Amino acid sequence: AQKVTQAQTEISVVEKEDVTLDCVYETRDTTYYLFWYKQPPSGELVFLIRRNSFDEQNEISGRYSWNFQKSTSSFNFTITASQVVDSAVYFCALSEAGEAAGNKLTFGGGTRVLVKP
Amino acid sequence: SAVISQKPSRDICQRGTSLTIQCQVDSQVTMMFWYRQQPGQSLTLIATANQGSEATYESGFVIDKFPISRPNLTFSTLTVSNMSPEDSSIYLCSVGRRSGQETQYFGPGTRLLVL
């Protein structure tokens, strides 16, 4: 069975500080997909990134960057120079590939990020 | 990405009643899912809504409590039946264009409070 663990339940930072969110996953499949979603106070879930298991390149998008380490089963997320608008709950998720898996997403417990001005 | 809407956005209901939540997508999608997010918790998959056939439920969720319809490739409903305060949650639908590869995009959610 697949499992996603986000050990940090809440992180509080002051604006302009960097913040790194940890995500560790478990799966028996060799082909799988990893995701990060953002849930602001309004409640909607905003897609941030998808990474497949064969692509270990790290990615940067503006102030966001992701570090995928297959050897340690981790997919960590860093927000550089945080802003108040980054305050939200961030979820890491995993889905196994293939028709049998049915696109089911398994979510981590989420990390609440509070950015103070 | 698809544009997804849900109705109602929020509701307050009395225990013992039922509420039907609608999910509408602006384009045809293969996969539609319903998730529950209890207060302060993560998301849990309730079921996969299959077009033209019965939904596929996850362990711990049953059709009598959460009947689901999916009459076409752009619309689905989730009913929360015989509600109790424990059903107070955010209910979210999500869509994906094809199985196994595509990203899931989520609707804005329905906030349900059961008194």
Side-chain angles (χ1 to χ4, degrees), chain B residues 87-112:
Chain B
D87 293 319
S88 298
S89 298
I90 300 175
Y91 292 87
L92 300 105
C93 72
S94 73
V95 304
R97 294 209 181 275
R98 63 179 185 274
S99 177
Q101 295 183 23
E102 194 58 61
T103 297
Q104 280 186 40
Y105 294 95
F106 285 79
T110 296
R111 292 179 184 267
L112 172 61

Side-chain angles (χ1 to χ4, degrees), chain A residues 9-29:
Chain A
T9 55
E10 186 165 325
I11 300 175
S12 182
V13 297
V14 177
E15 212 170 13
K16 297 185 182 177
E17 288 184 345
D18 298 348
V19 55
T20 296
L21 312 181
D22 298 333
C23 173
V24 174
Y25 62 91
E26 296 176 28
T27 177
R28 293 179 185 172
D29 269 22

Side-chain angles (χ1 to χ4, degrees), chain B residues 1-6 23-29 32 73-75 93-95 97 105-108:
Chain B
S1 65
V3 176
I4 308 163
S5 60
Q6 282 185 237
C23 179
Q24 179 76 54
V25 191
D26 68 340
S27 58
Q28 293 186 344
V29 292
M32 291 185 82
L73 292 175
T74 64
F75 186 77
C93 72
S94 73
V95 304
R97 294 209 181 275
Y105 294 95
F106 285 79

Side-chain angles (χ1 to χ4, degrees), chain A residues 59-66:
Chain A
E59 183 158 339
I60 299 174
S61 176
R63 295 184 298 107
Y64 295 169
S65 62
W66 290 270

